[in-house]
Amino acid sequence: MSAHCQLTGARPGFGNRISHSHRRSSRRFDPNIQRKRYWLPSEGRYVRLTLSARGIKTVDTLGIEAAVARIRARGVKV
């Protein structure tokens, strides 16, 4: 599963791991990605979305219909 949110577009960030001696090595900051299933009343079916924790809260605020409309506006197939 790729680590990006379909709604917010959150993707991994990159940076450095810094040891006690201050040597640096690459690391990756992954968003908190969850797969969640929602009932879409307008289409009479379930949709499975890959969302970050922030994306799930956004769906709770906007509603699933508006969230799916935003996802489709970004050009992602649902």
PDB file of all heavy atoms in Angstrom, residues 57-73:
ATOM      1  N   LYS A  57     -10.819  12.526   9.795  1.00  0.00           N
ATOM      2  CA  LYS A  57     -11.498  13.606  10.519  1.00  0.00           C
ATOM      3  C   LYS A  57     -12.172  14.567   9.542  1.00  0.00           C
ATOM      4  O   LYS A  57     -13.264  15.084   9.815  1.00  0.00           O
ATOM      5  CB  LYS A  57     -10.502  14.369  11.388  1.00  0.00           C
ATOM      6  CG  LYS A  57      -9.964  13.559  12.540  1.00  0.00           C
ATOM      7  CD  LYS A  57      -8.884  14.321  13.276  1.00  0.00           C
ATOM      8  CE  LYS A  57      -8.214  13.435  14.297  1.00  0.00           C
ATOM      9  NZ  LYS A  57      -7.093  14.115  14.957  1.00  0.00           N
ATOM     10  N   THR A  58     -11.557  14.801   8.391  1.00  0.00           N
ATOM     11  CA  THR A  58     -12.138  15.679   7.371  1.00  0.00           C
ATOM     12  C   THR A  58     -13.420  15.066   6.825  1.00  0.00           C
ATOM     13  O   THR A  58     -14.411  15.777   6.619  1.00  0.00           O
ATOM     14  CB  THR A  58     -11.127  15.917   6.236  1.00  0.00           C
ATOM     15  OG1 THR A  58      -9.928  16.446   6.790  1.00  0.00           O
ATOM     16  CG2 THR A  58     -11.669  16.884   5.209  1.00  0.00           C
ATOM     17  N   VAL A  59     -13.430  13.750   6.584  1.00  0.00           N
ATOM     18  CA  VAL A  59     -14.645  13.070   6.114  1.00  0.00           C
ATOM     19  C   VAL A  59     -15.746  13.190   7.163  1.00  0.00           C
ATOM     20  O   VAL A  59     -16.915  13.426   6.822  1.00  0.00           O
ATOM     21  CB  VAL A  59     -14.361  11.586   5.787  1.00  0.00           C
ATOM     22  CG1 VAL A  59     -15.648  10.825   5.546  1.00  0.00           C
ATOM     23  CG2 VAL A  59     -13.463  11.482   4.577  1.00  0.00           C
ATOM     24  N   ASP A  60     -15.401  13.066   8.444  1.00  0.00           N
ATOM     25  CA  ASP A  60     -16.395  13.203   9.509  1.00  0.00           C
ATOM     26  C   ASP A  60     -17.005  14.599   9.523  1.00  0.00           C
ATOM     27  O   ASP A  60     -18.185  14.766   9.819  1.00  0.00           O
ATOM     28  CB  ASP A  60     -15.765  12.903  10.872  1.00  0.00           C
ATOM     29  CG  ASP A  60     -15.403  11.436  11.036  1.00  0.00           C
ATOM     30  OD1 ASP A  60     -15.912  10.610  10.254  1.00  0.00           O
ATOM     31  OD2 ASP A  60     -14.612  11.136  11.943  1.00  0.00           O
ATOM     32  N   THR A  61     -16.209  15.612   9.188  1.00  0.00           N
ATOM     33  CA  THR A  61     -16.692  16.993   9.185  1.00  0.00           C
ATOM     34  C   THR A  61     -17.524  17.310   7.946  1.00  0.00           C
ATOM     35  O   THR A  61     -18.633  17.829   8.048  1.00  0.00           O
ATOM     36  CB  THR A  61     -15.497  17.970   9.241  1.00  0.00           C
ATOM     37  OG1 THR A  61     -14.721  17.666  10.395  1.00  0.00           O
ATOM     38  CG2 THR A  61     -15.969  19.404   9.315  1.00  0.00           C
ATOM     39  N   LEU A  62     -16.992  16.973   6.760  1.00  0.00           N
ATOM     40  CA  LEU A  62     -17.648  17.323   5.499  1.00  0.00           C
ATOM     41  C   LEU A  62     -18.805  16.404   5.140  1.00  0.00           C
ATOM     42  O   LEU A  62     -19.766  16.827   4.511  1.00  0.00           O
ATOM     43  CB  LEU A  62     -16.646  17.239   4.343  1.00  0.00           C
ATOM     44  CG  LEU A  62     -15.497  18.207   4.285  1.00  0.00           C
ATOM     45  CD1 LEU A  62     -14.593  17.844   3.129  1.00  0.00           C
ATOM     46  CD2 LEU A  62     -16.002  19.620   4.137  1.00  0.00           C
ATOM     47  N   GLY A  63     -18.668  15.132   5.466  1.00  0.00           N
ATOM     48  CA  GLY A  63     -19.591  14.115   4.988  1.00  0.00           C
ATOM     49  C   GLY A  63     -18.929  13.371   3.837  1.00  0.00           C
ATOM     50  O   GLY A  63     -18.078  13.912   3.131  1.00  0.00           O
ATOM     51  N   ILE A  64     -19.343  12.130   3.637  1.00  0.00           N
ATOM     52  CA  ILE A  64     -18.693  11.279   2.643  1.00  0.00           C
ATOM     53  C   ILE A  64     -18.943  11.750   1.215  1.00  0.00           C
ATOM     54  O   ILE A  64     -18.065  11.677   0.361  1.00  0.00           O
ATOM     55  CB  ILE A  64     -19.096   9.793   2.833  1.00  0.00           C
ATOM     56  CG1 ILE A  64     -18.302   8.885   1.900  1.00  0.00           C
ATOM     57  CG2 ILE A  64     -20.587   9.599   2.659  1.00  0.00           C
ATOM     58  CD1 ILE A  64     -16.812   8.905   2.118  1.00  0.00           C
ATOM     59  N   GLU A  65     -20.135  12.286   0.944  1.00  0.00           N
ATOM     60  CA  GLU A  65     -20.443  12.738  -0.427  1.00  0.00           C
ATOM     61  C   GLU A  65     -19.511  13.871  -0.857  1.00  0.00           C
ATOM     62  O   GLU A  65     -18.949  13.847  -1.954  1.00  0.00           O
ATOM     63  CB  GLU A  65     -21.902  13.204  -0.526  1.00  0.00           C
ATOM     64  CG  GLU A  65     -22.932  12.128  -0.259  1.00  0.00           C
ATOM     65  CD  GLU A  65     -23.050  11.097  -1.377  1.00  0.00           C
ATOM     66  OE1 GLU A  65     -22.550  11.356  -2.490  1.00  0.00           O
ATOM     67  OE2 GLU A  65     -23.633  10.040  -1.124  1.00  0.00           O
ATOM     68  N   ALA A  66     -19.343  14.871   0.007  1.00  0.00           N
ATOM     69  CA  ALA A  66     -18.473  16.006  -0.314  1.00  0.00           C
ATOM     70  C   ALA A  66     -17.017  15.564  -0.389  1.00  0.00           C
ATOM     71  O   ALA A  66     -16.251  16.051  -1.233  1.00  0.00           O
ATOM     72  CB  ALA A  66     -18.632  17.103   0.730  1.00  0.00           C
ATOM     73  N   ALA A  67     -16.623  14.635   0.473  1.00  0.00           N
ATOM     74  CA  ALA A  67     -15.246  14.148   0.470  1.00  0.00           C
ATOM     75  C   ALA A  67     -14.937  13.398  -0.826  1.00  0.00           C
ATOM     76  O   ALA A  67     -13.883  13.599  -1.434  1.00  0.00           O
ATOM     77  CB  ALA A  67     -15.000  13.249   1.673  1.00  0.00           C
ATOM     78  N   VAL A  68     -15.863  12.544  -1.273  1.00  0.00           N
ATOM     79  CA  VAL A  68     -15.665  11.809  -2.527  1.00  0.00           C
ATOM     80  C   VAL A  68     -15.635  12.783  -3.705  1.00  0.00           C
ATOM     81  O   VAL A  68     -14.845  12.606  -4.637  1.00  0.00           O
ATOM     82  CB  VAL A  68     -16.750  10.725  -2.706  1.00  0.00           C
ATOM     83  CG1 VAL A  68     -16.754  10.166  -4.115  1.00  0.00           C
ATOM     84  CG2 VAL A  68     -16.533   9.604  -1.700  1.00  0.00           C
ATOM     85  N   ALA A  69     -16.438  13.829  -3.644  1.00  0.00           N
ATOM     86  CA  ALA A  69     -16.413  14.843  -4.714  1.00  0.00           C
ATOM     87  C   ALA A  69     -15.043  15.514  -4.766  1.00  0.00           C
ATOM     88  O   ALA A  69     -14.494  15.753  -5.851  1.00  0.00           O
ATOM     89  CB  ALA A  69     -17.505  15.886  -4.480  1.00  0.00           C
ATOM     90  N   ARG A  70     -14.436  15.815  -3.594  1.00  0.00           N
ATOM     91  CA  ARG A  70     -13.104  16.412  -3.562  1.00  0.00           C
ATOM     92  C   ARG A  70     -12.043  15.460  -4.105  1.00  0.00           C
ATOM     93  O   ARG A  70     -11.133  15.866  -4.812  1.00  0.00           O
ATOM     94  CB  ARG A  70     -12.715  16.794  -2.135  1.00  0.00           C
ATOM     95  CG  ARG A  70     -13.275  18.083  -1.679  1.00  0.00           C
ATOM     96  CD  ARG A  70     -12.606  18.504  -0.384  1.00  0.00           C
ATOM     97  NE  ARG A  70     -13.236  19.668   0.170  1.00  0.00           N
ATOM     98  CZ  ARG A  70     -12.810  20.300   1.256  1.00  0.00           C
ATOM     99  NH1 ARG A  70     -11.767  19.846   1.907  1.00  0.00           N
ATOM    100  NH2 ARG A  70     -13.445  21.359   1.700  1.00  0.00           N
ATOM    101  N   ILE A  71     -12.186  14.177  -3.753  1.00  0.00           N
ATOM    102  CA  ILE A  71     -11.221  13.191  -4.231  1.00  0.00           C
ATOM    103  C   ILE A  71     -11.296  13.086  -5.747  1.00  0.00           C
ATOM    104  O   ILE A  71     -10.273  13.049  -6.435  1.00  0.00           O
ATOM    105  CB  ILE A  71     -11.473  11.817  -3.567  1.00  0.00           C
ATOM    106  CG1 ILE A  71     -11.140  11.888  -2.074  1.00  0.00           C
ATOM    107  CG2 ILE A  71     -10.669  10.724  -4.243  1.00  0.00           C
ATOM    108  CD1 ILE A  71     -11.560  10.673  -1.285  1.00  0.00           C
ATOM    109  N   ARG A  72     -12.503  13.045  -6.282  1.00  0.00           N
ATOM    110  CA  ARG A  72     -12.669  12.958  -7.745  1.00  0.00           C
ATOM    111  C   ARG A  72     -12.183  14.223  -8.436  1.00  0.00           C
ATOM    112  O   ARG A  72     -11.678  14.161  -9.553  1.00  0.00           O
ATOM    113  CB  ARG A  72     -14.116  12.681  -8.079  1.00  0.00           C
ATOM    114  CG  ARG A  72     -14.512  11.256  -7.751  1.00  0.00           C
ATOM    115  CD  ARG A  72     -15.917  10.931  -8.121  1.00  0.00           C
ATOM    116  NE  ARG A  72     -16.184   9.519  -7.912  1.00  0.00           N
ATOM    117  CZ  ARG A  72     -17.349   9.015  -7.544  1.00  0.00           C
ATOM    118  NH1 ARG A  72     -18.379   9.809  -7.361  1.00  0.00           N
ATOM    119  NH2 ARG A  72     -17.490   7.722  -7.386  1.00  0.00           N
ATOM    120  N   ALA A  73     -12.315  15.389  -7.780  1.00  0.00           N
ATOM    121  CA  ALA A  73     -11.830  16.637  -8.355  1.00  0.00           C
ATOM    122  C   ALA A  73     -10.307  16.630  -8.463  1.00  0.00           C
ATOM    123  O   ALA A  73      -9.741  17.276  -9.347  1.00  0.00           O
ATOM    124  CB  ALA A  73     -12.278  17.825  -7.496  1.00  0.00           C
TER     125      ALA A  73
END
